[in-house]
Amino acid sequence: MPSVHIRAATRRDSARIAAMANALNRHHDMDDTLFTAEGVERDGFGAHPAFSCLLAELDGAVVGYAMYHECFNSDLAARGLWLVDLFVEERVRSHGVGRRLMAALARESLACGAASLWWGVDTGNAAARRLYAQLGADDYDYRLLEMDRAALERLARQDAEPE
């Protein structure tokens, strides 16, 4: 059985994280050029990190990651963590890497006092949904909504206070 090791990402991992994040975007038919090593280093390891990241190593090679950040769960009036991305290279899926990342993230959640861990999943991703069900996750019928930068700018201009 291959040896899976989970560790916190460091600044030196920025290029590898960017490559895996772009691979995840490619898997979802999204722009796979958005992530750069410089951007990951700035946003994940700069003065005000926007995210944290756990890495999975299989026999010494980085093969997956879990990117997350703190949030607040108003349903529970408590801190939570939001899992932004969970990615495991296709060649090593079904080796327990995703399960190990999620278990490490559960430990991280408890260590920081979080009462919950939230994330989204594509409704058509049956394999991921099966894994999450096996882990004990509730699969609610929610919709995630997003506003891109252009939509944010349009909304921000509406009803703006006159200067």
Side-chain angles (χ1 to χ4, degrees):
M1 178 130 194
S3 174
V4 177
H5 174 71
I6 307 298
R7 66 174 175 84
T10 68
R11 185 179 301 272
R12 292 184 309 269
D13 297 308
S14 295
R16 185 69 184 114
I17 294 166
M20 290 187 295
N22 284 325
L24 180 59
N25 282 355
R26 190 168 35 260
H27 175 76
H28 288 292
D29 296 322
M30 297 168 57
D31 187 346
D32 64 354
T33 64
L34 296 175
F35 283 89
T36 64
E38 297 79 16
V40 169
E41 185 172 344
R42 177 193 64 235
D43 294 335
F45 304 100
H48 302 286
F51 64 86
S52 297
C53 193
L54 296 174
L55 297 180
E57 295 178 329
L58 184 64
D59 294 330
V62 175
V63 296
Y65 75 99
M67 184 182 288
Y68 62 97
H69 59 78
E70 290 186 15
C71 65
F72 188 79
N73 184 335
S74 62
D75 294 342
L76 301 174
R79 291 177 179 270
L81 288 186
W82 180 266
L83 174 62
V84 178
D85 286 344
L86 179 69
F87 175 79
V88 175
E89 288 184 353
E90 189 170 356
R91 67 183 177 83
V92 297
R93 291 183 188 149
S94 78
H95 285 84
V97 176
R99 177 180 293 276
R100 294 286 306 275
L101 280 165
M102 290 298 289
L105 191 52
R107 288 188 295 276
E108 185 68 25
S109 298
L110 295 171
C112 75
S116 63
L117 173 62
W118 284 61
W119 68 96
V121 62
D122 186 328
T123 57
N125 191 339
R129 292 176 76 186
R130 276 193 305 275
L131 169 66
Y132 299 144
Q134 290 170 1
L135 298 177
D138 291 321
D139 192 343
Y140 299 116
D141 190 21
Y142 289 146
R143 297 269 181 210
L144 295 176
L145 305 177
E146 177 183 28
M147 296 179 99
D148 65 12
R149 180 144 189 119
L152 288 169
E153 289 170 351
R154 281 192 305 274
L155 182 58
R157 286 191 302 268
Q158 293 178 11
D159 297 324
E161 294 288 326
E163 294 186 21

